[in-house]
Amino acid sequence: MRYLVISDIHANLTAFLAVLREAGKPGVEYDLIWCLGDVVGYGPDPNECVELLNALPHFSLAGNHDWVVIGKADGKAFHAAARHSAKWTHQVLNNKHRAYLASLPVTQIQGDFTLAHASPRDPVWEYILSPAIASQNFGVFQTPYCLVGHTHVPIHYRQTKNSASSQAVQPVYSVPLSLAGGRQILNPGSVGQPRDKDTRAAYAILDDERQTWEFRRVPYDIESVQRRMRNAGLPEILIIRLEQGW
Ligand code: ZN
């Protein structure tokens, strides 16, 4: 099977559509979407993004923002702008979409892959931002591979041969990477709010028969998203960061 692996759409419909356009037709270019959570929060299109995801063959996790928006977690760890957007999203999100987000798990095993929004150790909140944190997490899941989102930075971590540590490997785009040769934690990056100074939407294609993973990036019309955010009265800092990629 081929999977379109996405994470952290963050209510950015324009970026989500750009990814879907480039990834190609479901059933032809890929069989199933794996979404690693944070469908909503920050961006201006929460209902539209949940609606679109639901129209496609997919499996999704919930992320920390999804939980805060629906009141399943409190937002006290959030900075003021994130709290503001969570509150706004809570108000505009319709009941059907709220119920959908409430139904999602935060971690799931699918064949050789453990899926978690944040980390296998703490699926909702922990940021895997270094090989040291990745190393600790390799001991927590049993499958060969783990897929995470949450940091909004595409990267993969390989466990070293003696399993004592791990190594961060920067993504090379649009080249299928072999998964053979050891356990890995892979992060496709964020569709709707990239934080690696590259403003393009990030995603990945996983082929579990060929055992390959391909990081990809696609540009989208950032200004149109910023216009909708201004119209919705969302915080300026969240609007600016899209054009700066952090
Ligand atoms: Zn996120």
Side-chain angles (χ1 to χ4, degrees):
M1 295 251 289
R2 277 164 66 85
Y3 302 88
L4 167 56
V5 184
I6 55 176
S7 192
D8 299 277
I9 299 167
H10 281 297
N12 184 334
L13 181 66
T14 311
F16 190 16
L17 284 169
V19 165
L20 293 174
R21 210 172 297 127
E22 203 198 60
K25 274 205 167 68
V28 181
E29 298 298 329
Y30 63 88
D31 302 289
L32 190 65
I33 293 175
W34 277 353
C35 173
L36 306 176
D38 278 1
V39 182
V40 304
Y42 293 131
D45 318 305
N47 286 306
E48 292 81 355
C49 288
V50 175
E51 189 87 47
L52 181 55
L53 184 62
N54 271 305
L56 295 159
H58 78 286
F59 168 78
S60 186
L61 300 174
N64 54 322
H65 281 260
D66 302 319
W67 269 23
V68 170
V69 161
I70 60 174
K72 224 171 165 172
D74 71 53
K76 65 173 191 276
F78 280 6
H79 53 78
R83 261 203 311 273
H84 180 122
S85 83
K87 219 169 168 185
W88 177 85
T89 307
H90 178 80
Q91 282 159 4
V92 301
L93 197 68
N94 70 38
N95 285 339
K96 190 177 109 192
H97 296 156
R98 221 174 279 189
Y100 167 78
L101 293 176
S103 75
L104 301 178
V106 292
T107 182
Q108 178 93 8
I109 295 170
Q110 303 266 9
D112 282 347
F113 298 84
T114 297
L115 279 51
H117 174 63
S119 79
R121 180 166 62 179
D122 177 359
V124 181
W125 293 103
E126 184 180 33
Y127 290 90
I128 301 184
L129 284 166
S130 69
I133 300 170
S135 298
Q136 293 159 12
N137 272 282
F138 272 110
V140 178
F141 65 98
Q142 314 303 324
T143 54
Y145 312 105
C146 177
L147 308 184
V148 298
H150 193 49
T151 64
H152 300 205
V153 176
I155 197 157
H156 58 123
Y157 295 94
R158 281 178 183 277
Q159 196 175 31
T160 51
K161 283 229 162 60
N162 60 12
S163 301
S165 60
S166 70
Q167 185 194 5
V169 187
Q170 297 302 320
V172 176
Y173 294 107
S174 305
V175 178
L177 161 103
S178 172
L179 288 176
R183 299 179 75 218
Q184 294 192 49
I185 296 173
L186 300 120
N187 187 328
S190 166
V191 171
Q193 194 200 74
R195 292 182 190 161
D196 58 347
K197 300 275 154 60
D198 181 337
T199 57
R200 296 173 299 168
Y203 68 102
I205 298 288
L206 166 69
D207 188 323
D208 67 352
E209 277 149 37
R210 292 193 181 147
Q211 291 272 293
T212 59
W213 169 276
E214 185 177 328
F215 287 104
R216 291 193 186 168
R217 294 306 277 257
V218 58
Y220 69 95
D221 182 359
I222 293 171
E223 281 178 31
S224 72
V225 184
Q226 292 177 314
R227 271 197 299 276
R228 292 198 299 282
M229 291 176 80
R230 287 204 173 92
N231 288 340
L234 287 163
E236 193 62 23
I237 192 170
L238 301 181
I239 297 170
I240 298 290
R241 70 190 300 182
L242 292 180
E243 74 194 44
Q244 297 174 342
W246 58 274

